[in-house]
């Protein structure tokens, strides 16, 4: 029994050496290992995850500027009404990043997961959130009370809205935009579109 406690304490100490962003990056890489081999999809997901985490860091910094939150990117306006100052900025950042990444990764890696790997991916995400001491039952996106969890949920939801309209054909539909037209033109004519 004492050995188990010592091992857990050592793990906690080792785990504390890394940032919460590092922890969620590792979780995302583990999701990728258990998902289909789709390099372009994963590259896009890694970029979106970076944006989500950066914005959750930047929103609590007085001199940093967000990339997506409160901005218009690719024609998509991600509204943001601001938040009250956090009494503990580092704790707020950890919580906001954790909820943002939990919801973001859940959306990206469980919806189309290989059936044999779905439970594994869900466990990876649930275990990471629990390890950090957070509750997955907080699902609200109404961050008006300043709750970092709700802000994290909000940006994850907004990134999903953005991604569904960015021309990536995430849901298997052809895009009506210029990218989709170029893909169709290339596949029909065997040459690059002008």
């Amino acid at each position: 029994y004492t050995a188990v406690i010592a091992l857990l304490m050592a793990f906690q100490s080792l785990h504390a050496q890394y940032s919460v962003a590092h922890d969620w990056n590792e979780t995302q890489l583990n999701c990728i290992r258990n998902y289909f081999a789709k390099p372009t999809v994963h590259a896009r997901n890694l970029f979106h995850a970076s944006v989500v985490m950066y914005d959750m860091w930047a929103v609590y910094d007085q001199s940093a500027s967000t990339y997506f939150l409160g901005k218009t990117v690719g024609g998509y306006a991600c509204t943001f009404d601001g938040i009250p100052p956090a009494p503990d900025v580092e704790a707020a950042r950890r919580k906001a990043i954790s909820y943002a990444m939990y919801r973001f990764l859940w959306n990206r890696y469980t919806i189309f997961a290989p059936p044999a790997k779905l439970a594994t991916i869900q466990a990876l995400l649930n275990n990471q959130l629990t390890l950090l001491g957070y509750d997955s039952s907080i699902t609200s996106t109404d961050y008006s009370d300043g709750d970092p969890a709700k802000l994290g949920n909000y940006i994850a939801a907004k990134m999903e809205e953005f991604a569904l309209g960015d021309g990536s054909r995430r849901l298997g539909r052809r895009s009506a935009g210029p990218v989709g037209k170029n893909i169709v033109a290339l596949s029909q004519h065997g040459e690059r579109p002008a």
Side-chain angles (χ1 to χ4, degrees), residues 15-16 18-28 128 131-132:
H15 182 71
Y18 298 109
S19 72
V20 73
H22 175 273
D23 294 341
W24 282 108
N25 277 333
E26 287 298 319
T27 301
Q28 184 171 11
Q128 181 61 35
L131 179 66
L132 293 169

Side-chain angles (χ1 to χ4, degrees), residues 2 9 15 44 46-47 64 69 95 108 112 121 126 133 141 160 162 165 171 177 180-181 188:
T2 306
M9 289 176 67
H15 182 71
R44 178 174 171 265
L46 287 162
F47 172 68
L69 192 64
K95 190 174 188 180
R108 297 297 173 94
F112 299 110
I121 293 171
N126 287 328
T141 58
E160 281 308 294
F162 167 75
L171 298 178
K181 288 179 184 174
Q188 289 176 346

Side-chain angles (χ1 to χ4, degrees), residues 180-191:
K181 288 179 184 174
N182 289 342
I183 291 171
V184 172
L186 177 60
S187 64
Q188 289 176 346
H189 304 292
E191 57 187 355

Side-chain angles (χ1 to χ4, degrees), residues 146-170:
D147 184 346
K150 296 173 185 175
L151 180 60
N153 291 339
Y154 176 79
I155 195 170
K158 291 299 180 182
M159 184 57 79
E160 281 308 294
E161 286 177 14
F162 167 75
L164 291 174
D166 71 354
S168 68
R169 300 185 304 138
R170 179 166 174 249

